[in-house]
Amino acid sequence: MTERRRRGRPTETDTDTSTAIACAALQRFAAQGFEATSLREIAGDAGVDVALISYRFAGKLGLWKVIVTQAAKHLREALESALEDMETRTAHDRLGHSARTFLAYLLDRPEVPRLLLRDITIDSDRSQWLLERLSLPLHRHFMELARAAAQERSEEPAHLQFRVANFIYSAASTVARRERLGKLVDGIEDDATFAAALEATLVEGSLAL
């Protein structure tokens, strides 16, 4: 299928089709990994011709980058929105609220941490892309809040940078591997119980809140 290039803004149908492709790709990449996923599989899931994906996204890597960029954008917007009504609260409260927002984002979209963990540990251009577009901005976000909270208490916890990095990666890893973890830990099949355990262990533990 060859789509003639049109000028002007994308139509609603164009946007819907691109969204369907991105959603299908996210599910495939999260479940199978980048290398094991073919554009033909994604096209079949999205109900489009495989040539359209190459046209819209310039290939599989281009599609993967769009997905990561979208995930980073949505997460950033969620974190920024969560702090909008917290300006008069303490730095400690702002850090805790932002951390819980991050956990809620991961729990609501478990395919995102599954996708990210498949590539962040691989020495490749994709891992560097993840580092620059998602990991570093996220780390800076929480370090700024954590340092403000430490200054508020006039005492910086030991290994603060490590605590922040451990919180981020532990949260993503735990959510991504929830099903496997459930074979070792009783009771976390319930969403509320799992979320409470995450908060107690990572927010109150890793971030020392």
Side-chain angles (χ1 to χ4, degrees):
M1 172 180 175
T2 302
E3 185 179 88
R4 180 176 297 175
R5 187 178 296 274
R6 296 186 299 270
R7 295 182 179 180
R9 299 179 63 182
T11 66
E12 186 174 343
T13 301
D14 289 337
T15 302
D16 290 345
T17 301
S18 294
T19 299
I21 293 170
C23 288
L26 174 57
Q27 296 297 330
R28 283 284 181 176
F29 288 148
Q32 301 175 183
F34 180 85
E35 300 295 348
T37 298
S38 70
L39 286 182
R40 193 166 299 280
E41 288 175 319
I42 296 171
D45 293 343
V48 301
D49 192 289
V50 67
L52 180 59
I53 299 180
S54 296
Y55 173 82
R56 291 271 180 95
F57 299 95
K60 188 166 70 168
L61 181 58
L63 176 55
W64 181 90
K65 287 182 176 181
V66 166
I67 291 171
V68 172
T69 300
Q70 288 177 344
K73 177 177 180 291
H74 294 159
L75 176 55
R76 182 180 67 252
E77 290 173 347
L79 293 173
E80 290 175 351
S81 177
L83 292 178
E84 285 180 355
D85 298 326
M86 298 284 291
E87 293 181 359
T88 60
R89 304 291 292 274
T90 66
H92 179 271
D93 288 343
R94 287 166 59 83
L95 173 60
H97 188 59
S98 193
R100 294 179 184 92
T101 299
F102 176 58
L103 293 182
Y105 174 90
L106 296 179
L107 289 168
D108 191 49
R109 303 168 181 81
E111 64 278 2
V112 172
R114 292 191 192 109
L115 166 71
L116 303 181
L117 288 172
R118 284 186 175 275
D119 288 289
I120 197 66
T121 57
I122 299 174
D123 185 15
S124 68
D125 291 340
R126 295 196 308 280
S127 65
Q128 185 63 30
W129 180 273
L130 279 172
L131 182 68
E132 295 173 357
R133 298 302 176 100
L134 185 58
S135 299
L136 285 175
L138 189 58
H139 187 77
R140 285 193 290 266
H141 169 84
F142 279 109
M143 276 304 304
E144 181 179 345
L145 293 173
R147 285 196 173 112
Q151 290 176 358
E152 190 175 71
R153 292 180 294 184
S154 300
E155 180 182 357
E156 181 169 316
H159 314 297
L160 184 58
Q161 284 193 337
F162 183 84
R163 286 175 180 270
V164 169
N166 184 64
F167 163 72
I168 293 170
Y169 286 107
S170 294
S173 178
T174 303
V175 172
R177 296 177 171 86
R178 177 181 177 180
E179 184 176 346
R180 186 176 302 176
L181 188 63
K183 297 178 181 179
L184 302 173
V185 181
D186 295 331
I188 61 171
E189 297 84 1
D190 177 71
D191 290 344
T193 302
F194 182 62
L198 267 179
E199 181 175 329
T201 304
L202 298 180
V203 179
E204 299 168 14
S206 294
L207 293 180
L209 293 178

